[in-house]
Amino acid sequence: MDAHLTAEQEEIRRTLRELLAKRCGPQELRAAELTPAGYDPALWETLAQRLGLPGLALPEAYGGVGCSMTELALACEESGRALTPSPLLSTAVLAAPLILALGTEAQRAALLPSLASGALTAALAVPGTGLATALGLTGDNRGDWAGGGRAGGVQARRADGAWRLYGQAAQVLDGHSAGLLVVAAHTGGFARSRTLLFLVRDDADGLVRARQTSLDPTRPQARIELRDVEAELLGDDQADVPAALAAAGDAAAAVLAVEAVGAADRALERTVEHVGRREQFGRAIGSFQAVKHRLADVYVGVQSARSAAYYAAWATGTGGERVGALALAQALEALRTAASEGIQLHGGIGFTWEHEAHLSFKRASGDELLFGSVHRLRAHAADAARLFDGGEVTV
């Protein structure tokens, strides 16, 4: 692995950082959160049409840029620094790779160009609150998380030659505003139980969507109700959906890890700026040795997480080992630590609505609720690697 960024990758970071510094400051961020969509449509149009972010990792044949997931991760690092609310994660990181991997040629040709241009946004909807399990990040995704034939979840059945869905999904990122939903549903009953993915348009009859209050206001979420909704099967009914979800989950975890590193780096930067200005006993508090030690520990954590996240992003682009979940665990831990120390060193203002320091902490906590806590991510990675098989581990 070459740790140096290419000129093109550096340009992506520089351009996006300059744009977000102008268009996504604290005031713009709060204004975007209050919009019906939960993000600034004008900024999204700029990110999509001027910079081509949704299509960075999509093939040129479908209107994309033809880059790898690494370039998309670097773009997300900058959006993470600014905590930018946008449908980039739900559209380009979660939904589009599944359509590319499982969709028929007709479905790819019809959907991917619109997703690449940003004209169409998409969201992945899984039953209940099982996004982390569905993506294979915190457990085996070949279980019954989609419903298992019992009440609850999302059920799919064929009627008069068409597929129809019934059920509910919660914690759907950008589900209230997405033009297309990729819905995981259980079908086949107990005899041929399996999970398939379906496409549902935002104007489908029987579809009810409601935006929910979320811990992290920069990650708008929705509850989706499917009341006998007609849907289109994504690909064919013989597709290995759990394998596709696990592959997409590993790539998404790598991107999220890089994004979390961007947020942690900005939280540390903000804290260093504050302790350099804030005075106690006639001195800047940043000159006290105890403060220096605390921030040095945060710096080491952020840089270590950056190395792990970059490696995970590189591995997804080269077909290497799947280490996205481990990188995500390290990055979320670094972000939580950087945000916590930032709040402490900012004093009483650190966790108030008037200061943006609290948003970094909410991003770390919100991502753990969505994609798995640090200990669960590591525990599943250890189980998958059979780390503790063979008896007791002695020290």
Side-chain angles (χ1 to χ4, degrees), residues 138-220:
T138 59
D140 183 5
N141 70 348
R142 294 184 181 274
D144 59 1
W145 54 268
R150 300 186 300 273
V154 178
Q155 308 297 326
R157 62 181 179 85
R158 287 189 69 91
D160 299 325
W163 286 96
R164 307 196 74 85
L165 306 182
Y166 191 93
Q168 179 175 294
Q171 294 182 332
V172 181
L173 285 175
D174 299 301
H176 59 295
S177 61
L180 177 71
L181 297 176
V182 180
V183 182
H186 173 267
T187 187
F190 289 104
R192 299 183 63 242
S193 175
R194 64 194 189 281
T195 300
L196 297 176
L197 295 181
F198 297 87
L199 302 174
V200 177
R201 292 283 183 172
D202 60 343
D203 58 354
D205 291 338
L207 175 63
V208 179
R209 309 189 293 177
R211 183 176 176 180
Q212 295 179 303
T213 300
S214 57
L215 174 64
D216 178 9
T218 65
R219 291 254 202 252

Side-chain angles (χ1 to χ4, degrees), residues 7-213:
E8 182 181 46
Q9 291 170 339
E10 289 284 9
E11 183 64 17
I12 291 173
R13 294 179 62 181
R14 183 192 63 80
T15 302
L16 192 53
R17 184 172 298 191
E18 291 178 356
L19 174 65
L20 294 179
K22 297 176 182 177
R23 300 280 299 274
C24 197
Q27 299 305 318
E28 292 82 3
L29 185 62
R30 287 179 169 81
E33 293 167 1
L34 297 176
T35 63
Y39 61 88
D40 180 3
L43 178 58
W44 171 245
E45 184 177 353
T46 300
L47 295 175
Q49 297 185 5
R50 177 182 160 190
L51 300 181
L53 296 192
L56 269 180
L58 290 176
E60 295 182 50
Y62 300 113
V65 179
C67 294
S68 69
M69 194 62 76
T70 303
E71 283 73 24
L72 181 57
L74 291 173
C76 287
E77 181 178 7
E78 296 307 314
S79 68
R81 279 183 61 87
L83 299 177
T84 307
S86 83
L88 182 63
L89 175 62
S90 58
T91 299
V93 180
L94 294 176
L98 292 170
I99 296 173
L100 180 63
L102 297 177
T104 64
E105 184 56 37
Q107 289 172 332
R108 294 174 186 170
L111 298 174
L112 291 179
S114 297
L115 293 174
S117 69
L120 177 67
T121 59
L124 174 63
V126 303
T129 58
L131 181 59
T133 301
L135 294 174
L137 298 178
T138 59
D140 183 5
N141 70 348
R142 294 184 181 274
D144 59 1
W145 54 268
R150 300 186 300 273
V154 178
Q155 308 297 326
R157 62 181 179 85
R158 287 189 69 91
D160 299 325
W163 286 96
R164 307 196 74 85
L165 306 182
Y166 191 93
Q168 179 175 294
Q171 294 182 332
V172 181
L173 285 175
D174 299 301
H176 59 295
S177 61
L180 177 71
L181 297 176
V182 180
V183 182
H186 173 267
T187 187
F190 289 104
R192 299 183 63 242
S193 175
R194 64 194 189 281
T195 300
L196 297 176
L197 295 181
F198 297 87
L199 302 174
V200 177
R201 292 283 183 172
D202 60 343
D203 58 354
D205 291 338
L207 175 63
V208 179
R209 309 189 293 177
R211 183 176 176 180
Q212 295 179 303
T213 300

Side-chain angles (χ1 to χ4, degrees), residues 367-393:
D367 278 2
E368 286 196 59
L369 289 173
L370 279 170
F371 301 103
S373 61
V374 170
H375 73 274
R376 290 188 64 198
L377 290 166
R378 287 174 173 160
H380 179 61
D383 290 341
R386 305 176 68 87
L387 189 61
F388 300 117
D389 283 7
E392 290 187 12
V393 176

Side-chain angles (χ1 to χ4, degrees), residues 10 20 41 58 74 161 168 178 187 224 228 236 274 291 306 316:
E10 289 284 9
L20 294 179
L58 290 176
L74 291 173
Q168 179 175 294
T187 187
I224 305 297
D228 199 29
D236 61 67
H274 176 76
V291 174
R306 173 175 277 117
T316 62

